[in-house]
Amino acid sequence: QVQVVESGGGLVQAGESLNLSCTISGRNSDDYTMGWFRRAPGKEREGVLCIKWSGGITAYTDSVKGRFSISRDKANVKNTLYLRMNSLKPEDTAMYYCAADWLGECSGSWDGAFWGQGTQVTVSS
C-alpha cells in the first residue's frame, strides 16, 4: 500500500515564500511520477508541477512559472517531493495535493494515482 502525505502549508502574506513537502512510502517508490495539484475554492482542480519517475519536469500552468519549482529526493527510504513557492499571490490560495502515479506520465489522467489528503495554503493580500 502506498501512502502519500503532504506537509508545509500555512498562512503567508503576498510576496512571501512557502515550501511544501510530500512523502511517499511503499515498494518501488522510485518508480512513481509525482505531481502537485491544487484546488481553489469554487474552482476545479488544476495541475501545478509534475516530475516524472525518470526525471523530466512539466509545468501545467503558466501562472507559476518563474515562481514555483519542484524537486525530488530519492535518497531516503521515503521518497520526498518538494514544492518551493516564491512570490506568492492571493490567487495561489488553495488546497494543495500531492499525487503519485506508478510509471505514469505527467500528461496522464492520474486516475490510478495515489493522492494525499492535501495541505492548505492561504495567501493574504
Side-chain angles (χ1 to χ4, degrees):
Q1 181 68 24
V2 174
Q3 290 186 322
V4 179
V5 180
E6 306 98 334
S7 63
L11 171 64
V12 296
Q13 293 188 334
E16 294 184 339
S17 299
L18 204 59
N19 293 325
L20 304 185
S21 299
C22 170
T23 58
I24 170 177
S25 58
R27 193 172 58 182
N28 299 324
S29 61
D30 285 359
D31 297 333
Y32 281 82
T33 288
M34 298 181 73
W36 287 102
F37 298 79
R38 66 186 182 184
R39 188 192 299 273
K43 295 187 178 181
E44 293 188 354
R45 186 187 74 196
E46 70 168 347
V48 179
L49 286 164
C50 170
I51 186 165
K52 191 176 174 181
W53 61 273
S54 56
I57 291 174
T58 297
Y60 291 112
T61 173
D62 288 343
S63 67
V64 304
K65 286 183 178 179
R67 299 190 299 123
F68 289 14
S69 62
I70 189 172
S71 61
R72 183 171 183 171
D73 180 6
K74 291 187 177 181
N76 300 318
V77 174
K78 287 188 177 181
N79 229 299
T80 304
L81 183 72
Y82 301 98
L83 182 67
R84 172 70 177 178
M85 303 185 291
N86 295 324
S87 303
L88 282 161
K89 303 176 181 180
E91 50 263 44
D92 295 317
T93 294
M95 184 71 79
Y96 282 71
Y97 297 91
C98 175
D101 193 14
W102 189 66
L103 295 179
E105 298 288 339
C106 288
S107 58
S109 67
W110 295 83
D111 287 344
F114 295 91
W115 292 83
Q117 294 298 306
T119 185
Q120 178 68 38
V121 173
T122 303
V123 185
S124 63
S125 57

